[in-house]
Amino acid sequence: MFPLFIPTGSTSAQPKGMKNMPKSKFELIYKDLKRKIEDQQYPYQELLPSENTMVTIYNCSRNTIRRAVSQLIEQGYVQSLHGKGVRVIYQPVDQTSFTIGGIESFKESATRNHRKYHTEVVQFTIITSDQRISGKTGFPVGEELYYIQRIRYLEDKALILDINMFLKNCVPGLTREIAETSIYEYIENELNMSIVTSKRRMTVERATEIDEKYLELNDYNCLAVISSQTYNADGIMFEYTQSRHRPDYFCFQDTATRKH
Amino acid sequence: MFPLFIPTGSTSAQPKGMKNMPKSKFELIYKDLKRKIEDQQYPYQELLPSENTMVTIYNCSRNTIRRAVSQLIEQGYVQSLHGKGVRVIYQPVDQTSFTIGGIESFKESATRNHRKYHTEVVQFTIITSDQRISGKTGFPVGEELYYIQRIRYLEDKALILDINMFLKNCVPGLTREIAETSIYEYIENELNMSIVTSKRRMTVERATEIDEKYLELNDYNCLAVISSQTYNADGIMFEYTQSRHRPDYFCFQDTATRKH
DNA sequence: GTTTTCTTCTTGTTTAAACAAGTTTGTAAT
DNA sequence: ATTACAAACTTGTTTAAACAAGAAGAAAAC
């Protein structure tokens, strides 16, 4: 039993073609601190070195340290205590967990967790956005869209039914073959388009006949549904996706902060 | 039909006793921009004024503008385009939606959305954390905990079964009466303890006999479950809560950003 | 007309400095 | 011993400045 983990916020996922170059200083420091926290060199409930200490350690300005730390705060790794220091609140998740990340693709997630997977394309057509589709997805009326239905298998178990819609003129040349491997890889490497922001909504919906046809639901009568709108680097929403997850293999993680 | 919305990340929720004073400059600017985006003074797909323009508008430094804007990015309100500007990608959610926010309490959410609500306490005891509870919640073994079960009603419909556990020595003097109104109000106003970070995990679980006893599930056989660990301003985890939601009134919102 | 280059706009990164405000600790006064 | 205060930490906010890098349009070269 290894549920699918879906953490929130920014992911460190990188397109396959790119080298893993963090370029910026604050990102290097962020990754170093993150790793040290995960390795428990900075253990749970301990304080990080003070900002001024880290300034000398990393040979940079205090602002750069603060920027790196603020990312750790966002991710729920640490919590800052005014006048006291920055406390580690990260705790490792259990081994059997399988993590699906931010805007990470199914393929990337499966690979990262060393799991066998494959994808079956059950529908691949082109449709035109009408009033009903527009209201549901957020695409303008009259746009041509790729409409794709895929079953995602992990260790030969059908876990996810993906319904994708892509703006046709943003993703030209998409084929059924590409949909079988990785659409994101095609978009980022072939089309050289970068994906930036994704707005997601999680609900629980009653299983439809299609769900029951393709997924083994084991008399669950509902599914975890993630609907997402994805924007490219030009700020254009080019994708709407509905991922319908088998409930027993689904988990979504999140960190919230309260303003005082 | 108005599902419960649960957005991610920081909330602007404030304890009742406090005045709504944003104190800091960047927060004022952030709130002003946010309001203008929600009012569509800065409409969907338009660019915000450039940073230098806003520097003169708000009479502050560029850094302060950038800090305010970065919060809008986190919330999925805008997306920055290097060399071009900052594009608005906020779209209003539909009227019928009911939003439960970040670490916002049930009472706060209901009040903010002008809905009638009440809470029924079905269990209020003190337990001691053993190996099993510790593994499930993250509390150390041997700690004394308040164990509370509550049913949350919205418009007289039983929507949520809340199971709370509080570190007894962190929340002294908790009573059944307080649990009936608002525990968070007690914690923040009476105990003067501030709540800062909350790590949450969303899953879908099969309905138990207790769920069926208290919630009207209308032949749904599973629920949306949010498990959360909450930390106070000292970085101590003082609360573990499991909120079991009726599926048809549940919605969780989120914005993710991909690093390139 | 087309391409190239340059200038000027935009956002992105980093540094340095000053001050505010919460926490701790040692010291002096009681 | 206890209290009160001051000094020395901590993080939080804000400003100013410089440079990098992407985007766009105007001007120059072809």
Side-chain angles (χ1 to χ4, degrees):
Chain A
M1 185 68 154
F2 29 89
L4 302 180
F5 268 85
I6 305 190
T8 276
S10 2
T11 38
S12 51
Q14 285 226 353
K16 233 188 169 180
M18 289 182 183
K19 284 150 230 133
N20 212 25
M21 51 137 182
K23 60 186 184 306
S24 52
K25 218 171 194 177
F26 78 87
E27 212 170 337
L28 284 169
I29 297 170
Y30 160 70
K31 282 187 176 159
D32 189 59
L33 290 174
K34 186 175 169 179
R35 185 182 55 77
K36 283 177 174 157
I37 291 169
E38 285 168 347
D39 293 354
Q40 297 175 41
Q41 290 181 43
Y42 297 133
Y44 182 67
Q45 289 290 325
E46 297 272 300
L47 297 183
L48 292 187
S50 80
E51 290 173 356
N52 284 323
T53 308
M54 288 199 277
V55 161
T56 65
I57 291 177
Y58 291 104
N59 189 35
C60 66
S61 74
R62 199 178 142 217
N63 278 351
T64 303
I65 295 294
R66 285 182 64 76
R67 188 160 177 190
V69 169
S70 74
Q71 296 219 11
L72 293 172
I73 294 173
E74 273 174 46
Q75 302 248 325
Y77 270 51
V78 299
Q79 175 171 320
S80 77
L81 314 173
H82 192 175
K84 284 205 263 193
V86 178
R87 180 161 293 165
V88 176
I89 59 173
Y90 168 86
Q91 282 178 297
V93 292
D94 72 82
Q95 283 299 339
T96 51
S97 306
F98 176 89
T99 309
I100 282 191
I103 317 182
E104 207 176 22
S105 71
F106 178 73
K107 179 173 177 176
E108 284 167 347
S109 310
T111 306
R112 187 161 53 74
N113 290 278
H114 310 100
R115 301 221 171 269
K116 227 175 56 175
Y117 65 91
H118 70 280
T119 300
E120 187 187 337
V121 179
V122 294
Q123 191 155 25
F124 187 97
T125 55
I126 291 170
I127 61 173
T128 304
S129 168
D130 59 18
Q131 200 69 47
R132 193 186 60 86
I133 293 172
S134 172
K136 216 176 162 65
T137 64
F139 284 120
V141 175
E143 290 279 357
E144 276 200 314
L145 307 172
Y146 287 109
Y147 181 91
I148 304 167
Q149 279 187 15
R150 297 184 290 177
I151 321 291
R152 310 297 212 146
Y153 293 88
L154 194 73
E155 311 285 3
D156 293 322
K157 281 187 282 285
L159 295 193
I160 308 170
L161 170 61
D162 263 359
I163 300 167
N164 299 99
M165 297 184 214
F166 291 95
L167 258 191
K168 184 158 171 272
N169 55 14
C170 271
V171 195
L174 196 60
T175 64
R176 178 181 271 264
E177 286 68 41
I178 294 166
E180 265 165 15
T181 54
S182 177
I183 295 177
Y184 268 39
E185 230 172 85
Y186 174 72
I187 288 173
E188 296 198 315
N189 295 340
E190 301 300 318
L191 298 182
N192 225 21
M193 180 166 75
S194 63
I195 293 149
V196 181
T197 310
S198 185
K199 293 197 264 190
R200 297 181 294 193
R201 176 189 290 209
M202 241 278 338
T203 54
V204 176
E205 291 184 16
R206 204 175 284 269
T208 65
E209 284 178 19
I210 299 170
D211 297 326
E212 281 166 5
K213 179 178 170 190
Y214 291 117
L215 305 176
E216 271 180 59
L217 292 176
N218 306 326
D219 64 84
Y220 277 102
N221 63 13
C222 42
L223 300 89
V225 178
I226 296 187
S227 309
S228 62
Q229 299 174 309
T230 308
Y231 293 74
N232 66 16
D234 292 323
I236 306 293
M237 181 196 134
F238 73 98
E239 175 189 2
Y240 173 86
T241 289
Q242 202 180 86
S243 281
R244 305 177 69 84
H245 291 246
R246 194 174 132 174
D248 47 346
Y249 283 85
F250 174 80
C251 185
F252 189 102
Q253 279 192 333
D254 178 46
T255 302
T257 311
R258 180 154 186 150
K259 300 249 177 70
H260 41 214
Chain B
M1 182 71 152
F2 30 88
L4 302 179
F5 269 84
I6 305 190
T8 275
S10 2
T11 37
S12 51
Q14 284 227 354
K16 233 187 167 179
M18 289 183 183
K19 284 150 227 132
N20 213 23
M21 49 134 181
K23 59 183 187 305
S24 52
K25 218 172 196 178
F26 78 87
E27 212 170 338
L28 284 169
I29 297 169
Y30 160 70
K31 282 187 175 156
D32 188 59
L33 290 174
K34 185 175 170 180
R35 185 181 55 76
K36 282 176 176 159
I37 290 169
E38 285 167 348
D39 293 352
Q40 297 175 43
Q41 290 180 43
Y42 297 134
Y44 182 66
Q45 287 292 323
E46 297 271 301
L47 297 183
L48 293 186
S50 80
E51 290 173 355
N52 284 322
T53 308
M54 288 198 278
V55 161
T56 66
I57 292 176
Y58 291 103
N59 188 35
C60 67
S61 73
R62 200 178 142 218
N63 278 352
T64 303
I65 295 293
R66 285 182 65 76
R67 187 160 178 188
V69 170
S70 74
Q71 296 218 11
L72 293 172
I73 295 173
E74 272 175 44
Q75 303 248 323
Y77 271 50
V78 299
Q79 176 171 319
S80 78
L81 314 173
H82 192 175
K84 284 205 266 195
V86 178
R87 180 162 291 164
V88 175
I89 59 172
Y90 168 86
Q91 282 178 299
V93 291
D94 71 84
Q95 283 299 337
T96 51
S97 305
F98 176 88
T99 308
I100 283 192
I103 315 182
E104 209 176 23
S105 72
F106 178 72
K107 179 172 179 178
E108 284 166 348
S109 310
T111 306
R112 187 160 54 73
N113 291 277
H114 310 100
R115 302 219 171 269
K116 228 176 57 177
Y117 65 90
H118 70 279
T119 300
E120 187 188 335
V121 179
V122 295
Q123 191 156 27
F124 187 96
T125 55
I126 291 169
I127 61 172
T128 304
S129 168
D130 58 19
Q131 200 69 46
R132 194 186 61 85
I133 293 172
S134 171
K136 215 176 165 65
T137 63
F139 284 121
V141 175
E143 291 279 355
E144 276 200 315
L145 307 172
Y146 287 109
Y147 181 91
I148 304 166
Q149 280 187 14
R150 297 185 290 176
I151 321 289
R152 310 296 212 148
Y153 292 87
L154 193 72
E155 311 287 2
D156 293 323
K157 279 188 285 286
L159 296 193
I160 307 169
L161 170 61
D162 263 359
I163 299 167
N164 301 100
M165 295 183 216
F166 290 95
L167 258 190
K168 184 160 172 268
N169 54 15
C170 272
V171 196
L174 197 59
T175 65
R176 178 181 272 265
E177 286 68 40
I178 294 166
E180 264 164 17
T181 54
S182 175
I183 295 176
Y184 269 38
E185 231 172 83
Y186 174 72
I187 288 172
E188 296 198 315
N189 296 340
E190 300 301 317
L191 298 182
N192 225 22
M193 178 167 75
S194 62
I195 293 148
V196 181
T197 309
S198 185
K199 295 197 263 190
R200 296 182 295 193
R201 175 188 292 209
M202 240 282 332
T203 54
V204 176
E205 291 184 16
R206 203 174 286 268
T208 66
E209 282 177 22
I210 299 169
D211 297 326
E212 280 165 7
K213 178 178 172 189
Y214 291 117
L215 305 176
E216 273 179 56
L217 292 176
N218 306 326
D219 65 84
Y220 277 101
N221 64 13
C222 42
L223 300 89
V225 178
I226 296 188
S227 310
S228 63
Q229 299 174 309
T230 308
Y231 292 76
N232 66 14
D234 292 324
I236 305 296
M237 182 196 133
F238 73 99
E239 175 190 2
Y240 173 85
T241 288
Q242 202 180 84
S243 282
R244 305 178 70 84
H245 292 246
R246 195 174 131 174
D248 47 345
Y249 283 86
F250 174 79
C251 185
F252 189 101
Q253 279 191 333
D254 177 46
T255 302
T257 311
R258 180 153 185 153
K259 299 251 176 71
H260 40 217

